[in-house]
Amino acid sequence: MIKTFRPRRWICPTCVCRQRRVQGNLANLAAPAPSEDARLPPASYTATGWHRDDKNLRRIFDSQPFWQEFSQRRRAELSARPVGLFTNKYLTHPGGFQEFAAVTLQRAKKIVAKVLAASTIREYKAIVRDLDRLSDLLCRVIDLADFVRATHPDHEIQATATKAYGLMFEYMNVLNTTRGLNEQLKRAAADPEVWSSWSEEEKVVAQILIKDFSKSAIDLPPAERQKFVDLSNDISQLGSSFVDSMAPEKEYLVLESSRLSGMDPVLVKKMIKWGKVNLPTVGAPASLALRTVHDPEVRREIYMANRTVAPGQIQRLEGMLKRRAELAKLSGYGSFAEMALTDKMARSPRSVDKFLDALSRDNATRVQQELSELLKLKHEDSTNGNGLGQLNPWDRDYYISRLLSRSRSRNRTPDFLSAYFSIGTVIQGLSRLFTRLYGIRFVPRETSPGETWNDDVRRLDVVDESDGHIAVVYCDLFERAGKNPNPAHFTLRCSRLIPASEIAEVARETGSLATAEDAVNDGMAAARNPHTGELYQLPTIALICDFSRNATHSRPTLLNFRDVQTLFHEMGHAVHSMLGRTSLQNVSGTRCATDFAELPSVLMEHFASAPEVLGLFSRHWETDQPLPYQMVKEKLALDRRFAGTETEHQILLARLDQAYHSALPSSPDFNSTTTYHGILSPPNSSLQEPKGTTWQGFFGHLFGYGAAYYSYLFDRAIAGKVWKDVFGEGRESLSAERGGRFRDEVLRWGGGRDSWACVAGVLKDERLVEGGVAAMEEVGRWGVRD
């Protein structure tokens, strides 16, 4: 099945397949002269420029005057004609997306015709590479269009991007019902001569595509196939509606202001209407009230309202779950979880259960210690009038907040740390860290007219000390009106070898070898490998954050420590995109098992708190004094004070996700609320969820991560083990040998190697190679060690 992933999941590899030489003048396409356009001349990436680049990294983010000078440098040498978004030659004007989609469709249809017409051994040998290129072509449009329609400030450009996105998805759905593609791939894979000629990556991609075609029910009879399509559409519509329609049963609680004693009186006053406080039951005010209001009965009222969803939401959820169960049964599976987990590291619901059971046992003592501490504080609370013998769910956040406030009062304010973390120093530190670990660094690059969607966007070229220019990162890190506040990493163009045959094909269309290399990649970033001379399209990445900036520019934008961890996390995804260089695009970078894709980003959070790493860059923005690490140590101790309680909460949600995607929804008397309360009760939960709540209606991840919500806990457990055993809990965090080990065993493989083999390789533990139930249980025993 030809499919795409969410943009965050898209990364591309470098194809190292050898292609046969093209006859005639097209045989040697070494380095044609650059075309005459408005793009900037190639940057110099020599080692001698390292100190200048390192210094400029900090300055382009921290000094607005320097950034203005830098961003305008050499612009006078360029023509006024825009080069197009991301230097894509089609995207120079709003209508460019339509032209881009039309050209791509034409190329895609040629590949489809070629695959369907294949009849010789030679043609069958090329089928996997042909389908991989087909996927790449479709996603060149889809990934860019999806990003632009959600990010670009121009509504006209958003609209044309949306049309291109819809057009390409419509064609992709046609391909997914083209049985000939599936039949030809199966025919090729069944031929011993063809199969033996494929590389290991080609075999992996063939197996993935065959499995995906099967999951799309392409082999079913027409009537059942139509039912599959109808169910899939229903699930998509119900799921989207479920995520978009979250609302509480009661929007407000009307309370006397005297009952909110303990809450910020200024905020309380702002919520007074007609003499009474109108407290929203969801959002920041409700959360603050649960942490600060002294009256336990008021907290109970808020808790109940906060966790009781509007009735229609439960109908949408149960409708989606029932249709998923029906879809799985139609596809020959006992449950949706069974179907969804076949291509994950877990492989089966039983394995997930074993992992969660082991993790829960590891976490149990810590949870009990934390809750005992809270109960002790409750006993000491003379203002508490009821329930002294037990800790209620509405007590937890209140007493956690009181304990943490006591600790904070003995330490400096959290904002004191921010003075040591300007955006520029953090980006500079990431570059220095990656240089030491992986031999890559960031080089600031001036952008061309029309290349970015906002003048605040910085471009960083990623340079490998051996392979040269390997990626482009666009950093859109500052807040502005209308911008989505959620941090994210997007891979907009995958890394992939562009064989000589493709360059030749485009050269015949353009009639010029001089422009063929530019045209074959739509004008976007490409580079030749300095060792082989082969041409690669480079991964193009967008890193989005929403950091507040100083309005007067009198000081740089300063980050709190959570922001630093967020930036490290998102850059973990990016470095996976940069270094996940496989020979085929379908298994590149984060195009790996869902329950493995978060490992690099979660691991980066460990680096963010290591004194060895912080010593690379954390300096006071005014005095340039190094960060006293004791402050970070105190901050981390506070943040992790109730980590066991939070881990238990995530385990409960993972169990709920598994239960909802088991065979339960197939039952006529299935009730999601009954299942919810069964999970959130002892012995699963340390606290008893009160009857009457329906919080499952707010659990939006049930749609996007159906049966895979355990993945984040799973990757946190693996990351903690890697941090301990490979990087020595920070002692080896700057080691090129250890970094090279993680790069060689994990990052460079993408999805082209079994994820268990990657984990076993980096940990040097052969017991894990085959995966399975025992391996999942072993990971659970490692626990979550942040």
Side-chain angles (χ1 to χ4, degrees):
M1 181 172 70
I2 307 300
K3 64 179 181 180
T4 63
F5 287 64
R6 295 175 65 84
R8 177 171 178 144
R9 291 281 178 245
W10 260 96
I11 10 271
C12 274
T14 310
C15 211
V16 293
C17 298
R18 292 284 183 180
Q19 299 291 338
R20 40 185 200 88
R21 294 164 63 88
V22 182
Q23 296 180 347
N25 293 333
L26 304 179
N28 294 313
L29 302 176
S35 57
E36 295 295 328
D37 61 21
R39 286 185 296 171
L40 289 162
S44 172
Y45 303 123
T46 60
T48 55
W50 185 91
H51 292 290
R52 180 196 66 235
D53 297 334
D54 181 70
K55 183 178 181 180
N56 286 348
L57 267 177
R58 179 175 178 176
R59 298 172 74 191
I60 65 169
F61 288 99
D62 285 355
S63 170
Q64 189 65 17
F66 180 82
W67 163 244
Q68 290 174 345
E69 177 192 350
F70 182 89
S71 61
Q72 295 301 317
R73 193 176 299 171
R74 294 193 301 203
R75 287 290 183 96
E77 303 172 20
L78 305 173
S79 68
R81 181 170 60 87
V83 298
L85 278 171
F86 314 108
T87 71
N88 186 299
K89 67 176 183 178
Y90 297 103
L91 306 184
T92 58
H93 57 95
F97 262 112
Q98 296 301 305
E99 182 184 358
F100 186 26
V103 171
T104 300
L105 276 176
Q106 185 179 16
R107 290 178 179 173
K109 289 177 179 178
K110 287 182 180 179
I111 296 175
V112 171
K114 178 185 176 185
V115 171
L116 294 177
S119 59
T120 67
I121 293 295
R122 177 173 167 273
E123 289 168 337
Y124 281 129
K125 287 180 179 180
I127 276 182
V128 172
R129 292 193 300 273
D130 288 336
L131 291 176
D132 187 72
R133 184 188 176 196
L134 177 61
S135 176
D136 178 65
L137 282 172
L138 296 177
C139 292
R140 286 184 180 192
V141 179
I142 288 172
D143 290 344
L144 272 181
D146 197 31
F147 175 79
V148 168
R149 67 181 184 156
T151 306
H152 203 285
D154 189 309
H155 294 298
E156 185 180 3
I157 293 177
Q158 287 181 11
T160 58
T162 298
K163 289 180 182 178
Y165 180 89
L167 179 66
M168 299 308 292
F169 249 108
E170 182 180 351
Y171 180 65
M172 190 169 64
N173 289 332
V174 171
L175 295 181
N176 290 337
T177 59
T178 305
R179 300 182 68 170
L181 294 175
N182 180 49
E183 291 165 357
Q184 286 286 72
L185 178 58
K186 284 184 173 179
R187 193 172 291 120
D191 188 294
E193 183 179 350
V194 173
W195 181 261
S196 63
S197 72
W198 285 343
S199 67
E200 287 304 310
E201 284 177 9
E202 287 174 312
K203 291 175 182 177
V204 169
V205 169
Q207 291 167 337
I208 290 172
L209 292 175
I210 290 171
K211 184 179 293 185
D212 286 342
F213 271 122
S214 177
K215 280 187 178 181
S216 70
I218 202 165
D219 292 324
L220 292 177
E224 293 181 13
R225 166 67 183 167
Q226 185 58 49
K227 185 177 181 180
F228 182 96
V229 172
D230 292 342
L231 283 170
S232 298
N233 290 335
D234 287 349
I235 291 167
S236 178
Q237 292 170 7
L238 282 167
S240 297
S241 179
F242 173 70
V243 172
D244 295 338
S245 304
M246 293 178 188
E249 186 176 44
K250 295 180 181 179
E251 190 174 353
Y252 292 94
L253 288 177
V254 180
L255 303 165
E256 297 287 348
S257 60
S258 60
R259 300 187 68 196
L260 294 175
S261 174
M263 194 173 178
D264 182 356
V266 175
L267 179 59
V268 171
K269 187 176 181 179
K270 289 180 179 179
M271 294 186 290
I272 291 178
K273 185 177 182 181
W274 303 110
K276 298 286 184 73
V277 176
N278 284 252
L279 177 72
T281 56
V282 295
S287 298
L288 180 63
L290 287 170
R291 295 195 305 271
T292 59
V293 170
H294 297 320
D295 189 334
E297 181 56 31
V298 174
R299 294 201 306 271
R300 187 193 69 81
E301 289 181 43
I302 297 170
Y303 183 90
M304 294 295 294
N306 179 259
R307 296 175 73 85
T308 304
V309 78
Q313 186 72 341
I314 300 303
Q315 296 172 8
R316 283 183 280 271
L317 172 62
E318 292 180 355
M320 179 186 74
L321 296 176
K322 286 178 178 291
R323 283 164 177 80
R324 277 181 168 172
E326 190 175 354
L327 186 77
K329 184 177 180 181
L330 184 65
S331 302
Y333 295 92
S335 68
F336 184 81
E338 282 187 19
M339 183 172 76
L341 295 174
T342 56
D343 59 353
K344 309 294 189 295
M345 289 181 73
R347 300 175 189 166
S348 72
R350 179 169 174 258
S351 292
V352 176
D353 290 341
K354 289 293 185 182
F355 162 70
L356 294 174
D357 288 345
L359 185 60
S360 184
R361 288 192 296 272
D362 175 84
N363 192 56
T365 301
R366 187 172 186 178
V367 173
Q368 290 308 313
Q369 290 173 344
E370 292 172 1
L371 295 183
S372 295
E373 211 175 347
L374 297 179
L375 188 58
K376 180 181 178 182
L377 182 59
K378 183 176 180 179
H379 287 159
E380 296 171 356
D381 189 354
S382 60
T383 66
N384 197 302
N386 66 336
L388 290 178
Q390 67 178 20
L391 194 71
N392 298 307
W394 51 86
D395 295 328
R396 182 183 58 197
D397 290 352
Y398 176 72
Y399 288 108
I400 285 177
S401 179
R402 290 188 61 179
L403 271 177
L404 293 182
S405 66
R406 288 182 179 181
S407 300
R408 289 193 185 101
S409 67
R410 295 192 295 266
N411 299 318
R412 300 174 191 262
T413 62
D415 291 340
F416 190 83
L417 276 176
S418 298
Y420 295 86
F421 296 117
S422 70
I423 288 185
T425 57
V426 176
I427 296 293
Q428 184 184 58
L430 283 162
S431 181
R432 291 173 177 179
L433 174 63
F434 290 159
T435 298
R436 285 160 174 77
L437 291 177
Y438 309 127
I440 63 175
R441 63 187 175 95
F442 298 150
V443 177
R445 179 80 190 275
E446 304 96 325
T447 56
S448 302
E451 184 178 348
T452 63
W453 57 99
N454 187 278
D455 289 341
D456 261 347
V457 177
R458 276 72 162 162
R459 170 175 168 165
L460 306 179
D461 285 358
V462 184
V463 180
D464 186 286
E465 60 189 16
S466 174
D467 294 338
H469 191 194
I470 63 169
V472 174
V473 181
Y474 292 98
C475 297
D476 185 2
L477 305 183
F478 299 104
E479 68 176 358
R480 59 178 174 271
K483 184 180 179 182
N484 190 316
N486 298 319
H489 152 269
F490 299 85
T491 298
L492 308 174
R493 173 63 58 94
C494 294
S495 173
R496 174 178 169 270
L497 180 143
I498 303 176
S501 58
E502 288 183 31
I503 302 173
E505 178 185 320
V506 175
R508 286 191 291 269
E509 294 173 359
T510 62
S512 170
L513 287 178
T515 60
E517 288 196 10
D518 181 56
V520 76
N521 199 39
D522 310 316
M524 292 181 66
R528 286 191 175 274
N529 183 294
H531 310 293
T532 66
E534 295 168 314
L535 182 68
Y536 294 90
Q537 62 185 41
L538 302 184
T540 300
I541 299 157
L543 196 64
I544 309 296
C545 291
D546 193 48
F547 300 135
S548 300
R549 69 193 322 164
N550 188 312
T552 64
H553 303 301
S554 58
R555 64 168 174 79
T557 294
L558 304 177
L559 306 182
N560 61 46
F561 194 68
R562 183 61 237 172
D563 289 337
V564 175
Q565 292 173 311
T566 296
L567 200 49
F568 268 66
H569 179 99
E570 297 304 331
M571 198 61 80
H573 286 297
V575 79
H576 202 179
S577 300
M578 300 166 200
L579 300 179
R581 303 170 64 116
T582 58
S583 63
L584 292 172
Q585 179 241 23
N586 269 279
V587 290
S588 64
T590 58
R591 299 201 70 181
C592 53
T594 303
D595 49 6
F596 187 64
E598 289 287 335
L599 173 59
S601 55
V602 175
L603 180 65
M604 280 298 294
E605 294 184 36
H606 289 276
F607 281 96
S609 59
E612 297 82 359
V613 175
L614 293 174
L616 291 175
F617 67 93
S618 52
R619 309 188 74 82
H620 196 281
W621 73 275
E622 281 186 303
T623 66
D624 207 39
Q625 291 298 305
L627 169 70
Y629 186 72
Q630 182 62 29
M631 294 196 306
V632 177
K633 191 175 180 180
E634 293 169 355
K635 165 68 173 170
L636 292 172
L638 283 175
D639 289 348
R640 297 167 182 173
R641 181 79 178 272
F642 291 93
T645 303
E646 174 57 27
T647 297
E648 181 185 76
H649 176 64
Q650 293 300 319
I651 291 172
L652 292 172
L653 296 186
R655 289 190 189 281
L656 185 64
D657 175 45
Q658 289 298 302
Y660 281 165
H661 292 100
S662 68
L664 282 176
S666 298
S667 173
D669 58 353
F670 170 67
N671 184 299
S672 67
T673 301
T674 300
T675 302
Y676 167 69
H677 282 277
I679 296 292
L680 268 77
S681 300
N684 296 314
S685 174
S686 299
L687 300 179
Q688 175 71 56
E689 180 75 356
K691 293 185 182 299
T693 59
T694 52
W695 182 85
Q696 74 271 23
F698 292 114
F699 192 8
H701 288 303
L702 288 170
F703 177 48
Y705 289 87
Y709 189 78
Y710 70 92
S711 298
Y712 188 61
L713 280 173
F714 184 67
D715 283 343
R716 284 175 67 193
I718 297 175
K721 184 70 169 175
V722 170
W723 182 245
K724 177 177 180 289
D725 290 4
V726 179
F727 293 102
E729 296 182 311
R731 295 184 302 278
E732 300 290 342
S733 58
L734 303 182
S735 165
E737 184 272 326
R738 301 301 174 91
R741 182 165 143 194
F742 188 69
R743 175 176 182 164
D744 293 342
E745 295 289 352
V746 176
L747 294 175
R748 78 178 183 93
W749 291 96
R753 183 192 197 191
D754 184 83
S755 300
W756 283 112
C758 293
V759 174
V762 75
L763 293 176
K764 298 184 177 180
D765 188 345
E766 291 301 313
R767 298 174 302 160
L768 302 173
V769 170
E770 298 301 323
V773 174
M776 290 289 292
E777 192 169 15
E778 174 65 16
V779 174
R781 282 194 287 266
W782 296 343
V784 170
R785 304 287 183 264
D786 293 334

